[in-house]
Amino acid sequence: MVFQDYDIDRRCARCGKGAMVTDSSTGERFCGECGFVINERIDDSGPERRAFSKEEHEDRTRTGGPSSLAIHDMGLATIIGHDDRDATGKPLSASMKSTIKRLRTWDSRSQVQASQERNFRQAFGDLGRMKDKLALSDSVVEKTAYIYRKAAEKNLARGRSISGMMAASIYLACRDTGTPRTLNDVARQINIKRKDVSRCYRLLLKELDLTMPVVDPIKCMSRISSQAKLSEKVKRYALTILEDASTMEITAGKDPMGLAAAALYLSCVINKEGVTQKVIAMAAGVTEVTIRNRYKGLRELLDIKVPTKTGVMQIQ
DNA sequence: TAAGATAAGAGGGACAT
DNA sequence: ATGTCAGTCTTATCTTA
């Protein structure tokens, strides 16, 4: 069941043996054999500008840049030029010149006239930077922009920091698209406190009537294991642990990242991989203590025996 | 040096007042 | 609206193997 949604790609560049697969839920590409991760996929969905035939070349229309929700005016701004000529190139009459001049003034003002527009300018400027820092796909960026505009419509941004709302929108978009980015990831990159993002996030969730599915700890695993460079074997075993755990109702209310991290750690211990809690804790973005707590719970409730250092199996 | 134990504190949800 | 409570996670420190 586990890897059915992965599409096979190419051979691994490091070990050469395994096939590169793409985890369609996270966009990460990794080797099925050694776990080598190339990069996180970034969907670039800009319009196709090349032409491969004469027909295509002639058919190709030039309509300016792609329209995007993530541009303050959706990329459709028209600016009145300064050369005082009409469409056929003839100079304008004096009265028309003054009219145009007045229009030009209002034209330039109207671009940032509404405070909302200024807000969007800053917000989407932030968003552009965050896209790079968090390796967000275009679809997440568009979704973020959509959410942010919705929030602005409902006046939720008033009195709150732009970056806080932006961060919350990004996090929401990530959750919605199944892109595994934690609250901490987003807060750190946008340089604001986690709790502020958290507050805005909950506000958005309530006010926009959105419901987020609980993060599946299984989805967190591929991210952690690629970050910590764990083997495929460990990952598969950890998956079975998580499946058992979720049927036994010990996963409710627990941080899915912590749970996934603990399952991976337990799997490492059983498979004698010699990976430390610290490494996994770093990769998962949780503390070692959290891993220990979940680890303990998993061991007790699933009654899993772990090998000791002397190689003797022992019931914990 | 890694792992385990313990305690204090923060933030938020549920519930009652 | 405000306060309390149980539960979770984090930070920090100490002990153990």
Side-chain angles (χ1 to χ4, degrees), chain A residues 203-252:
Chain A
L203 180 81
L204 289 181
L205 216 51
K206 201 167 75 179
E207 296 298 326
L208 299 182
D209 266 337
L210 300 169
T211 53
M212 284 294 124
V214 176
V215 178
D216 187 355
I218 293 171
K219 288 230 171 81
C220 301
M221 283 206 346
S222 72
R223 176 186 157 155
I224 299 173
S225 57
S226 62
Q227 193 97 28
K229 301 188 170 33
L230 303 178
S231 70
E232 191 65 15
K233 182 180 160 196
V234 166
K235 196 163 138 188
R236 282 174 195 273
Y237 193 85
L239 264 171
T240 67
I241 296 174
L242 274 185
E243 279 163 13
D244 290 347
S246 55
T247 60
M248 296 182 70
E249 295 179 352
I250 57 171
T251 58

Side-chain angles (χ1 to χ4, degrees), chain A residues 99-116:
Chain A
T99 304
I100 291 296
K101 188 178 178 202
R102 215 165 54 239
L103 282 175
R104 189 181 293 132
T105 302
W106 283 108
D107 184 38
S108 66
R109 277 184 198 166
S110 70
Q111 285 182 58
V112 285
Q113 184 195 21
S115 70
Q116 178 157 295

Side-chain angles (χ1 to χ4, degrees), chain A residues 172-222:
Chain A
L172 208 49
C174 286
R175 286 285 294 268
D176 193 51
T177 54
T179 309
R181 302 288 178 275
T182 65
L183 216 42
N184 277 328
D185 290 338
V186 179
R188 200 183 323 115
Q189 294 300 338
I190 215 165
N191 209 12
I192 56 180
K193 291 200 189 83
R194 183 200 134 107
K195 66 171 180 181
D196 295 330
V197 186
S198 174
R199 263 202 274 271
C200 291
Y201 168 70
R202 267 187 298 279
L203 180 81
L204 289 181
L205 216 51
K206 201 167 75 179
E207 296 298 326
L208 299 182
D209 266 337
L210 300 169
T211 53
M212 284 294 124
V214 176
V215 178
D216 187 355
I218 293 171
K219 288 230 171 81
C220 301
M221 283 206 346
S222 72

Side-chain angles (χ1 to χ4, degrees), chain A residues 107-152:
Chain A
D107 184 38
S108 66
R109 277 184 198 166
S110 70
Q111 285 182 58
V112 285
Q113 184 195 21
S115 70
Q116 178 157 295
E117 287 304 309
R118 278 199 299 277
N119 181 306
F120 282 170
R121 269 190 186 229
Q122 157 140 30
F124 295 146
D126 285 351
L127 179 55
R129 285 188 289 281
M130 287 307 110
K131 176 187 154 87
D132 289 338
K133 284 189 176 179
L134 290 164
L136 302 175
S137 70
D138 279 356
S139 61
V140 172
V141 170
E142 284 297 301
K143 188 150 262 171
T144 303
Y146 174 79
I147 293 167
Y148 192 86
R149 283 180 183 278
K150 277 281 175 203

